[in-house]
Amino acid sequence: MLDTLPRDLRGLRDRAILLIGFAGGLRRSEIVSIDLCTDDTPGIGGCIAITEDRAVITLPGKAGQGKVEIARGTNDQTCPVHALTQWLHFAKIDDGPIFVGVTRDGRRATGRRLGDKHVARLVKQTAQAAGLRPDLPEAQRIRLYSSQSLRSGRTRTAAPDPAPA
């Protein structure tokens, strides 16, 4: 799916969206609500801090703040942290929303936060362009891949077994 994206500013952004969303197992609304916070002020929907070896996303939740840690990968082509830092660098984003629109000419980030429907369209378009599941009819393939597909990357940890009595 990543190979179907253009090698421009828009492609950098969309690559970061797909990789961060999959690695963090995030909902599309969580992806677009994350802010790059330079202080302790929480963002609207979440805050991301990037260190040398990982990105830590703090998300509000029903039971308080939750943290999602995304480790840096060994291959820059598929590393979510590398993709995000590349996007932030070339889009010149220092704080505020991390996933924003790009001007029509593709040269600048607009500063206007993307809506969650962008993530849904992105997943469907890239899955279709990548030709995933060619054994299925096109209509069925389109329904099969949605932004919910990114959540399948979520790492689940089981609660420890209770101690024997």
Side-chain angles (χ1 to χ4, degrees), residues 55-89:
V56 179
I57 304 169
T58 304
L59 296 168
K62 293 178 184 172
Q65 299 285 337
K67 289 196 185 294
V68 176
E69 291 190 28
I70 301 172
R72 194 173 287 272
T74 56
N75 180 343
D76 284 349
Q77 296 296 329
T78 56
C79 173
V81 180
H82 178 76
L84 181 60
T85 56
Q86 290 291 296
W87 157 246
L88 294 173
H89 172 76

Side-chain angles (χ1 to χ4, degrees), residues 67-145:
K67 289 196 185 294
V68 176
E69 291 190 28
I70 301 172
R72 194 173 287 272
T74 56
N75 180 343
D76 284 349
Q77 296 296 329
T78 56
C79 173
V81 180
H82 178 76
L84 181 60
T85 56
Q86 290 291 296
W87 157 246
L88 294 173
H89 172 76
F90 287 106
K92 297 179 174 77
I93 296 174
D94 298 336
D95 65 350
I98 61 170
F99 294 121
V100 297
V102 174
T103 57
R104 286 191 190 269
D105 64 6
R107 295 179 189 249
R108 290 182 298 108
T110 66
R112 199 172 67 244
R113 186 183 305 274
L114 290 176
D116 66 335
K117 287 188 167 88
H118 174 80
V119 178
R121 284 189 301 268
L122 174 63
V123 171
K124 286 187 180 296
Q125 289 169 353
T126 56
Q128 187 175 17
L132 300 180
R133 294 296 308 266
D135 56 313
L136 297 175
E138 184 175 343
Q140 193 174 358
R141 283 195 323 249
I142 290 171
R143 282 193 309 272
L144 182 63
Y145 294 100

Side-chain angles (χ1 to χ4, degrees), residues 20 34-40 46-58 67-70 72 81 84-85 88 98:
I20 289 291
I34 299 170
D35 287 348
L36 181 62
C37 301
T38 54
D39 56 18
D40 291 336
C47 192
I48 191 165
I50 302 169
T51 66
E52 190 174 311
D53 63 339
R54 70 190 61 237
V56 179
I57 304 169
T58 304
K67 289 196 185 294
V68 176
E69 291 190 28
I70 301 172
R72 194 173 287 272
V81 180
L84 181 60
T85 56
L88 294 173
I98 61 170

Side-chain angles (χ1 to χ4, degrees), residues 5-64:
L5 296 170
R7 303 274 185 218
D8 59 7
L9 193 59
R10 189 171 282 110
L12 282 175
R13 178 200 62 203
D14 290 346
R15 176 175 272 96
I17 288 172
L18 290 173
L19 288 169
I20 289 291
F22 183 75
L26 303 174
R27 294 175 177 87
R28 65 187 192 183
S29 61
E30 292 170 335
I31 294 167
V32 298
S33 70
I34 299 170
D35 287 348
L36 181 62
C37 301
T38 54
D39 56 18
D40 291 336
T41 307
I44 293 171
C47 192
I48 191 165
I50 302 169
T51 66
E52 190 174 311
D53 63 339
R54 70 190 61 237
V56 179
I57 304 169
T58 304
L59 296 168
K62 293 178 184 172

